[in-house]
Amino acid sequence: FPEYKFTAGKLSIVSGKALIPTEISVSFPLTPAELSDPNTLYATAARASSWVGQAEDAVVLLGKDWDKSTFGKSLAAKVIVPNASDQEGLLSWPLRSIPIAGKTVAPSDLETSLTKAMTDLRKKNEVGPYSVIVDPSLYGAANSAIAGLGDTVLSRFGKQISGFQYSAALDTNTGV
């Protein structure tokens, strides 16, 4: 993992760390007819920029292993990441899945997993508030009302979780 420090609520990379810049791109050949159609140009460029943004997310989180997740494998055929093997991600591959009882995440599974993760961090003297990045399905589960209670899993943690985001770069039922 990259070295970091957390001071006064701000996360920063420790100076002196060698970070390798990369240029992520998408190649999309166009026919002469497509070049003269502004709607086609716009749609193609928008799709390509979306892929570049998603690849950036995957490279930042997973580093050289960015293309090993299910999402990364599908994205790898669309984008060019020249020095991906030199990249150091914030997470280690393989990611651990949140244990679930069925095919969908029960609110209790997610709540238990988040509680355990925060407990583990506190044991390492990493006291919150915490930021969480999960796959899109867990993000939806965390923000959905719990049946019969009217609150969400995320709301139960109050100010302990200051940031809760999702990334398609993470496989189903994974997060950090």
Side-chain angles (χ1 to χ4, degrees):
F1 290 110
E3 294 181 49
Y4 68 92
K5 64 180 178 178
F6 190 76
T7 310
K10 293 185 179 180
L11 178 67
S12 59
I13 301 294
V14 174
S15 62
K17 182 71 176 168
L19 300 175
I20 311 295
T22 189
E23 185 176 301
I24 299 171
S25 61
V26 174
S27 177
F28 54 94
L30 297 170
T31 66
E34 291 169 330
L35 281 170
S36 63
D37 181 3
N39 291 329
T40 299
L41 288 174
Y42 176 79
T44 305
R47 185 178 310 117
S49 65
S50 173
W51 291 338
V52 168
Q54 292 167 359
E56 288 173 350
D57 203 18
V59 170
V60 167
L61 291 174
L62 302 173
K64 66 179 182 270
D65 297 318
W66 75 275
D67 57 351
K68 290 185 179 172
S69 71
T70 303
F71 176 76
K73 287 176 186 173
S74 69
L75 195 58
K78 301 171 187 164
V79 298
I80 302 162
V81 185
N83 58 347
S85 61
D86 298 329
Q87 299 302 318
E88 190 172 342
L90 296 174
L91 309 177
S92 295
W93 186 263
L95 302 176
R96 292 181 309 196
S97 291
I98 293 174
I100 58 171
K103 291 187 178 194
T104 58
V105 176
S108 60
D109 295 331
L110 183 56
E111 187 172 3
T112 299
S113 182
L114 289 169
T115 301
K116 182 183 180 325
M118 289 189 287
T119 300
D120 291 347
L121 287 169
R122 287 186 192 112
K123 288 178 183 175
K124 296 176 184 178
N125 292 322
E126 297 282 347
V127 295
Y130 303 102
S131 294
V132 180
I133 304 171
V134 297
D135 81 282
S137 67
L138 290 179
Y139 183 86
N143 287 291
S144 297
I146 299 171
L149 298 177
D151 62 348
T152 66
V153 169
L154 191 55
S155 69
R156 291 179 167 204
F157 289 96
K159 294 183 180 182
Q160 294 177 71
I161 296 177
S162 62
F164 196 85
Q165 300 295 320
Y166 68 88
S167 171
L170 301 180
D171 276 339
T172 303
N173 299 327
T174 60
V176 61

